[in-house]
Amino acid sequence: MLKRRDFLKAGAATALAPLPSLAADSPGQAGTVPEPKRELPLVQQTDVIVCGGGPAGFAAALSAARSGAKTTLIELHGCLGGVWTASLLSNIIDADGKTGLMQELMDRLSASDAQYTPTQYDAELMKWTLEQMCKEAGVEVRLHTRVTAAYRTKRNAIDYLVTESFSGREAWKAKVYIDATGNGDLAAQAGCGFDEGEPGTRRVQPMSLMVMLSGLREEDLVAEGYIKGPGRDGSPSETGKRKLHADILKAGVDASYSMPSFFVIRPDLVALMTNHQYGVSALDANAISRATVEARHEVNRIVEALRGRGGLWANLRIVTTAAQIGIREGRRIHGLYTLTKEDLVRGAQFDDGVCTVRFTVDIHSLVRGEGGGYGSGGVRMKPYQIPLRALIARDVTNLMLAGRCISGDFYAHASYRVTGNAVPMGEAAGKVAAKAALTHRLPKEVGWGEV
C-alpha cells in the first residue's frame, strides 16, 4: 500500500502526463488505468445517512432527525432542493391534499413570501427555507459532495459509502442509508438491481432545462391568454401553451417541446420550460453534457427570436438557466414491492401505504417524432397509494429509497415521480430509517404502524 506522501507524489506525477482526448461523440471508455489502494478518512459514524438533498432527501433527513436519529444529509449541489432549486423547477406538482411535511413546507413558504401562488415559488427562498428547517432539526448537511462508491458486508448491508468533495475522497458509515439521489446512484453503487426506461426499448423521457426570465409582466401574460389568471391563479393554460409554441415557430425556431409553459414567480419574474432533450440516459455523463449545452443553446435562440418580434417580447431577457438540467427519469431500483401500471388502473390501496398519488400518468414524448408534447400512454389511473415496501431496497438490507428512484414500473413512475409525492415518500423513509437505526433493526422489520 502506498503511504500518503508517496501517493501524493505519484498523483502529482501522473497529473502531468498527457491524457487521451475524448471526442464529443465518444462511446465511453478510452481504456483503463489502475487506481492505487489507499486508506480513507472516516468522516462520520451515525444513525442515518441520506444521499441527495432534493424534495425527497430533505424530507427524509428532516423526519429522521425529528424522530431522534443522528442524521447526515449529503448533497451534490451547493444548495438543498435539487430539482426545486438547482433545476429551477419553480412548480410543486401533486401537493394538494398532502399533510405532514409537505403541508408544513407549503405553510412555511407562504409565511416567508416565497410562494407567489399555491404551488409556484421563489427558488432562492426555497433554498433558504429548506436549509433553515434542516438546521432547526439538527440535520448535519454536507453540500458539494458526490457519492462515488458503496461497499457491502457479507450480509448484504452497506458497510460504508465513499464520497468525493473539496475535502477529497472520504468514507461515511451509518446504520441505515436512504437513497434520495433521484437517479438511484447510491443503490447502484451498492450493487442493487434496477430498471431504466420503457419496457423493451429502454427509451427514456426527455430532459428539460428551466430558464428564468425578466422583461415580461404578469398582467400582459394574463391578457394574452398565456396563463389562467394573476396571483393565485397564475398557472399555465393548455391553450396558452399551444399559443406560445405557435409564437416560437413564427419567430423562426423549430422548438423541441410543443407545450411550453410559463410559471409566474413574481409579477415581473417568470419561469419558462420550453425544450426537450430526447434519448438522453441519466447514466451517461457525456450525453447529459451534450444535452445541457444543446438545451441552453435552444432556450437562448428562443428568447432572442421572441425578443426580435417586439411588442410583448421587446424587453425579454434570460436572468439565468438552471445549474442542473431537469431529469425526469433515471434508475428505478428494485424494492420489496414494485408498483405497477395495474396498481394505478385499479387505484391500489395498501396496509403500508405511505402516500396517496393523484397525479396522472405523465409521459413526455420519448422521441421528437411523437409530437414533442406529453400524454398518459393510454393509462387511465385512479388515486392510488405507494406502499412502504416499494421504498425498501430488495438487494441491500439497510437501504431505503425515496423519490423517483423507488421501485415501480415505467408507467407508475411517470405518475409518482413528481415532487408533491417525493416529500411524503421521504418523510416515510426517514421515520422508518430512524426507528430501524434506534432499535437495531432492519427497515423491513419495522411496521408502518409503528411510525
Side-chain angles (χ1 to χ4, degrees), residues 99-123:
T99 57
L101 284 183
M102 187 70 259
Q103 187 59 54
E104 181 183 343
L105 176 60
M106 300 282 275
D107 292 342
R108 187 122 171 193
L109 291 170
S110 180
S112 68
D113 192 38
Q115 220 159 353
Y116 185 61
T117 79
T119 61
Q120 286 148 228
Y121 58 87
D122 182 321

Side-chain angles (χ1 to χ4, degrees), residues 337-350 361 379-385 408-412:
Y337 184 90
T338 299
L339 203 64
T340 67
K341 174 173 65 175
E342 290 70 30
D343 289 327
L344 275 61
V345 171
R346 66 186 179 89
Q349 305 294 300
F350 300 95
V361 173
V379 180
R380 300 186 65 178
M381 53 80 69
K382 299 176 182 177
Y384 63 94
Q385 289 183 330
D409 71 11
F410 174 77
Y411 297 96

Side-chain angles (χ1 to χ4, degrees), residues 3-14:
K3 294 182 179 179
R4 180 172 176 79
R5 63 177 181 272
D6 294 328
F7 175 77
L8 291 175
K9 288 178 181 177
T14 55

Side-chain angles (χ1 to χ4, degrees), residues 237-292:
S237 65
E238 294 303 303
T239 56
K241 294 176 184 179
R242 287 190 285 269
K243 181 178 180 181
L244 177 57
H245 183 245
D247 288 340
I248 294 170
L249 294 178
K250 289 175 185 176
V253 180
D254 185 15
S256 59
Y257 180 39
S258 62
M259 298 293 281
S261 305
F262 283 126
F263 302 97
V264 177
I265 309 305
R266 304 287 182 198
D268 58 351
L269 182 65
V270 178
L272 173 65
M273 186 178 76
T274 187
N275 68 92
H276 270 171
Q277 289 300 126
Y278 298 99
V280 183
S281 170
L283 316 186
D284 186 337
N286 280 339
I288 294 175
S289 297
R290 290 193 297 272
T292 302

Side-chain angles (χ1 to χ4, degrees), residues 286-362:
N286 280 339
I288 294 175
S289 297
R290 290 193 297 272
T292 302
V293 172
E294 291 170 1
R296 189 170 289 114
H297 177 64
E298 181 178 352
V299 298
N300 272 274
R301 287 183 62 229
I302 287 172
V303 169
E304 184 180 63
L306 288 174
R307 186 171 60 248
R309 299 193 70 198
L312 173 71
W313 316 108
N315 297 312
L316 186 64
R317 293 285 177 184
I318 293 178
V319 176
T320 186
T321 52
Q324 169 68 61
I325 194 169
I327 299 173
R328 292 186 174 88
E329 186 173 1
R331 300 179 185 91
R332 303 190 306 274
I333 306 301
H334 295 163
L336 299 184
Y337 184 90
T338 299
L339 203 64
T340 67
K341 174 173 65 175
E342 290 70 30
D343 289 327
L344 275 61
V345 171
R346 66 186 179 89
Q349 305 294 300
F350 300 95
D351 291 339
D352 60 344
V354 303
C355 170
T356 297
V357 181
R358 297 178 176 86
F359 189 60
T360 185
V361 173
D362 179 38

Side-chain angles (χ1 to χ4, degrees), residues 50-92:
V50 181
C51 295
F58 145 78
L62 191 62
S63 65
R66 287 181 176 179
S67 299
K70 185 178 179 183
T71 305
T72 297
L73 177 57
I74 299 174
E75 165 57 32
L76 169 63
H77 295 288
C79 62
L80 298 182
V83 69
W84 277 341
T85 54
S87 294
L88 295 177
L89 180 60
S90 305
N91 188 36
I92 303 173

